[in-house]
Amino acid sequence: MEPLQRVEAASKALGKLAAHSAAAGGSVETGAASRLGAEAGEKLDLVTLFRLREQIKQQLMEYNTTVHSGEESIPDQAIEEKLFEAATEDLEREMEQAKVSFQNKTLVLQRIQLMDALRTKLRHNDSDSKLILETIKHIIMLSTAILESQQQARELEEKLNEIKKRRFALKQAGEHKLLQIHTLKKKQKEELEGMEVGEMLKRICRNLQKETQMTTLIQNIFQSIIIGSKVNWAEDPVLKAIVLQLEKNVNCI
Amino acid sequence: MSLVRPFDKLPTLNSAVILLVGTDERRQQQLAEAILKEKKNFKINIHVATSLPLPAERDHVRPRIDLIAFMINMQSKHSLRNVEASLSHIDANFFLGKVCFLITGVGRMNHCSVEMNAVRKLGNLYCSPVLFCELDSEGIRAATAQRLLRMLQICAGHVPGVSALFFSSLMKSSIDE
């Protein structure tokens, strides 16, 4: 440590000399040679490296903070920017509209100029103008024909639509009516079943059915007997009346 | 007039720079020697000046200054006025913990020409810690040097997780509560 102290003392003495010779109010820069451990012996071991790394990280964080604090944006600016953007959009839209209208006007103007030129040409009344007149008449005829056929097509479409509508309405009405019949029938059946005299009515129904069946059977038998006997029943009025009576369907009474 | 800015230049690896400003050159030298004697594992550069602004010609050679310590002698009003005049040549970002005031000469109260209130108000106004030390005695000089060294480490960013902004805790005194 001896030589180091000597170096330090020498540097300080130099510094003092510089201080005395410098003008008053100036600054003296004393570079202190504080290299503990000789320069050559400064080993860069892992711990030192880690320490240096932490130092650099901390310094980086300080610089980052300063930068961030310097570049913060005022919220007013953000609102102003939005206003600007909205204004620019509006202006662009208006510009587009102006362009479009200008183009339309140019087109119209050109058409007017064309018609005017045609008209002047026609007034000359030479062979060219005759041709032009012919063409114009043909064009007019074709256009009227087109208009008429378009009109007819539209009317036919209208009629078709009407028919379709009516058919659909009828279908719906039919469905509605069927639904009504269905519900009514169901109600009737439920009413019948719900009635207290249901049992008796059922028995009567069954008896009636049996009787009608027997009657129909007897009728058929009689008919077949008469027909099988190959008698001309049409001549005898009594037999005729009997046969016709047999024809009556018992179910429909 | 060149302004001293805290974040103008890049720091050098594993080194820190302290700037002592004061009219008493002898005391500055003594304090500088005491700081150099302390044990530390980073390189330290001590710059000494009597007043700011620093001359502009050496600006590109000068490294980044991490801590500025203003030395005020309570027994001379001239030192206080000198320090007040120099304070206007520092960038405002320095006052976020990279400035501190060292007050000497409080021991002999009857010889004081600067009032305590004035010094405290200065510290409050500039949001910087005020350290009282008697640089005439060895022991207090060594203690002050150690304190300054620790503050310098933190200001230079060598201590991870601690930043110079924490020095506001040094400014609160129990009497104020």
Side-chain angles (χ1 to χ4, degrees):
Chain A
M1 290 299 284
E2 256 289 288
L4 220 68
Q5 275 178 341
R6 268 190 274 143
V7 165
E8 273 188 15
S11 65
K12 265 177 248 153
L14 249 169
K16 277 190 201 143
L17 260 176
H20 288 310
S21 59
S27 80
V28 169
E29 307 202 323
T30 317
S34 106
R35 297 190 186 156
L36 292 174
E39 181 121 89
E42 196 175 304
K43 345 171 221 143
L44 288 174
D45 59 344
L46 210 55
V47 179
T48 327
L49 280 174
F50 270 126
R51 195 169 45 81
L52 292 176
R53 179 166 164 266
E54 290 302 311
Q55 271 181 24
I56 296 176
K57 264 202 212 171
Q58 174 78 4
Q59 283 169 345
L60 176 68
M61 191 200 71
E62 280 181 4
Y63 273 103
N64 270 338
T65 328
T66 327
V67 166
H68 277 308
S69 65
E71 66 174 35
E72 65 176 75
S73 71
I74 318 159
D76 286 343
Q77 268 185 359
I79 296 172
E80 270 184 28
E81 276 176 17
K82 278 189 204 147
L83 282 172
F84 287 157
E85 279 176 23
T88 30
E89 273 179 25
D90 279 337
L91 287 171
E92 273 177 9
R93 234 183 295 140
E94 278 178 24
M95 222 168 63
E96 290 263 347
Q97 281 177 349
K99 269 195 215 162
V100 163
S101 84
F102 170 70
Q103 275 180 350
N104 284 344
K105 288 191 185 105
T106 345
L107 266 176
V108 167
L109 202 66
Q110 280 175 352
R111 275 193 203 144
I112 293 173
Q113 284 176 338
L114 192 69
M115 291 314 295
D116 190 56
L118 269 177
R119 237 180 268 138
T120 35
K121 182 89 176 125
L122 279 176
R123 284 207 199 98
H124 291 316
N125 232 349
D126 53 357
S127 64
D128 268 345
S129 72
K130 286 212 186 74
L131 191 62
I132 292 171
L133 210 60
E134 286 289 328
T135 326
I136 290 176
K137 282 200 191 123
H138 192 59
I139 288 171
I140 291 172
M141 186 192 68
L142 284 171
S143 313
T144 35
I146 288 170
L147 280 171
E148 275 178 26
S149 36
Q150 274 184 344
Q151 181 100 353
Q152 280 174 1
R154 234 180 308 143
E155 281 170 10
L156 284 170
E157 266 186 32
E158 277 292 322
K159 281 194 199 143
L160 199 67
N161 275 344
E162 278 286 308
I163 290 169
K164 277 191 189 157
K165 264 192 260 173
R166 253 185 279 154
R167 208 192 290 179
F168 185 62
L170 274 170
K171 204 164 121 185
Q172 275 197 324
E175 274 180 19
H176 190 60
K177 281 293 180 267
L178 272 172
L179 201 66
Q180 270 184 334
I181 293 169
H182 192 65
T183 23
L184 268 172
K185 265 203 178 144
K186 246 177 43 184
K187 249 197 277 174
Q188 248 185 0
K189 221 164 71 180
E190 279 167 18
E191 271 177 29
L192 269 174
E193 282 170 14
M195 270 168 46
E196 283 176 2
V197 290
E199 271 299 319
M200 203 165 74
L201 259 172
K202 275 197 202 133
R203 242 189 301 137
I204 292 172
C205 257
R206 261 182 273 139
N207 288 343
L208 188 63
Q209 260 188 332
K210 256 195 267 175
E211 293 298 321
T212 41
Q213 278 174 354
M214 284 209 302
T215 326
T216 327
L217 201 60
I218 294 166
Q219 269 183 340
N220 284 341
I221 291 170
F222 273 139
Q223 263 185 347
S224 23
I225 288 173
I226 293 175
I227 292 171
S229 67
K230 294 195 197 154
V231 172
N232 195 359
W233 50 270
E235 287 179 350
D236 193 0
V238 177
L239 214 53
K240 200 163 137 187
I242 294 173
V243 169
L244 287 172
Q245 202 188 7
L246 287 174
E247 267 301 310
K248 280 199 227 154
N249 197 350
V250 189
N251 276 333
C252 302
I253 298 172
Chain B
M1 299 266 191
S2 64
L3 221 57
V4 186
R5 279 183 228 272
F7 287 117
D8 241 13
K9 307 177 195 181
L10 288 177
T12 32
L13 193 59
N14 206 22
S15 74
V17 178
I18 180 171
L19 173 67
L20 298 172
V21 179
T23 43
D24 198 343
E25 287 189 11
R26 187 180 60 89
R27 283 223 174 85
Q28 282 176 339
Q29 289 292 342
Q30 283 178 335
L31 188 57
E33 281 165 28
I35 293 176
L36 286 173
K37 267 201 223 132
E38 292 297 323
K39 198 163 74 103
K40 51 204 171 296
N41 50 7
F42 57 98
K43 304 190 206 91
I44 184 167
N45 262 344
I46 306 182
H47 291 228
V48 171
T50 41
S51 73
L52 295 173
L54 302 173
E57 307 92 50
R58 312 275 280 278
D59 214 16
H60 54 280
V61 183
R62 205 175 292 130
R64 175 182 96 141
I65 297 183
D66 296 308
L67 177 64
I68 302 184
F70 288 100
M71 302 176 58
I72 301 179
N73 192 354
M74 290 291 266
Q75 285 150 9
S76 93
K77 273 207 166 96
H78 166 62
S79 69
L80 181 64
R81 264 184 262 124
N82 178 34
V83 160
E84 278 173 356
S86 316
L87 278 167
S88 53
H89 294 296
I90 304 181
D91 186 40
N93 279 327
F94 252 113
F95 292 108
L96 291 170
K98 299 201 180 205
V99 169
C100 81
F101 295 102
L102 291 172
I103 317 289
T104 64
V106 199
R108 297 192 220 114
M109 282 302 292
N110 31 357
H111 291 254
C112 278
S113 48
V114 178
E115 290 180 28
M116 282 294 258
N117 255 347
V119 161
R120 281 222 185 88
K121 263 195 252 173
L122 191 68
N124 273 341
L125 186 65
Y126 286 99
C127 298
S128 307
V130 174
L131 306 175
F132 293 94
C133 48
E134 280 300 322
L135 291 180
D136 293 329
S137 79
E138 272 287 339
I140 300 185
R141 214 182 312 151
T144 320
Q146 278 172 359
R147 276 180 100 173
L148 277 178
L149 205 63
R150 193 64 185 151
M151 282 175 72
L152 181 62
Q153 263 192 315
I154 294 173
C155 287
H158 288 183
V159 182
V162 184
S163 113
L165 295 166
F166 292 153
F167 286 148
S168 60
S169 63
L170 283 174
M171 290 161 22
K172 290 207 201 2
S173 90
S174 48
I175 312 171
D176 289 341
E177 296 301 317

